[in-house]
Amino acid sequence: MSNEPIDLAAALRTFEDLWSPRVVTQVNDYDVRIAKVAGEFVWHSHEDTDEFFLVLDGELGIGLRDADGERVVTLQPGSVFVVPRGVEHRPFSQDGASILLFEPTGTSNVGDQHEQVPDHITPTTGHALEPRS
Ligand code: NI
């Protein structure tokens, strides 16, 4: 974990792959992760943890399925949203977005329950942020 300030814009420039979170720092037993996203993720849920989203750039939609049915929330840069534990959700971004996630270390991006994972998505608990060479 870095003890220097972390420039998120610079960190975002160190990778291009989509739906592949980088762990930028940790807070107690939580990761602060950043990711680039475009297109659709998979429907999934996290049984034991809420999931915090902050949009850094672009527009992010999150489909939600809960007891009230299915709905979509749309987040602009600077907007945050928390998906409660156990709620099925599917992030998507038609034109691409950069997001920050805050969730317990070890949390899988595809959750505990998910539909079949397509080829463009790799299940991960987050990758280390590599210094730019
Ligand atoms: Ni999730």
Side-chain angles (χ1 to χ4, degrees), residues 10-60:
L12 285 164
R13 287 194 293 271
T14 65
F15 64 98
E16 290 299 329
D17 44 334
L18 301 173
W19 304 112
S20 185
R22 265 46 176 192
V23 178
V24 292
T25 192
Q26 291 178 309
V27 182
N28 297 315
D29 50 359
Y30 272 66
D31 289 346
V32 177
R33 305 179 185 176
I34 55 173
K36 292 180 175 178
V37 303
E40 294 181 345
F41 200 61
V42 289
W43 282 104
H44 67 282
S45 61
H46 308 274
E47 295 311 314
D48 298 321
T49 182
D50 304 338
E51 185 169 24
F52 171 96
F53 292 82
L54 162 65
V55 176
L56 301 172
D57 187 44
E59 182 178 285
L60 181 75

Side-chain angles (χ1 to χ4, degrees), residues 69-97:
E70 188 168 323
R71 68 186 177 116
V72 170
V73 293
T74 302
L75 307 182
Q76 305 296 335
S79 294
V80 305
F81 187 79
V82 176
V83 176
R85 68 190 64 192
V87 171
E88 270 194 289
H89 55 286
R90 180 183 61 175
F92 63 92
S93 178
Q94 189 163 353
D95 298 322

Side-chain angles (χ1 to χ4, degrees), residues 3 22 29 32 64 66 98 114:
N3 61 359
R22 265 46 176 192
D29 50 359
V32 177
L64 299 162
D66 59 18
S98 297
H114 54 80

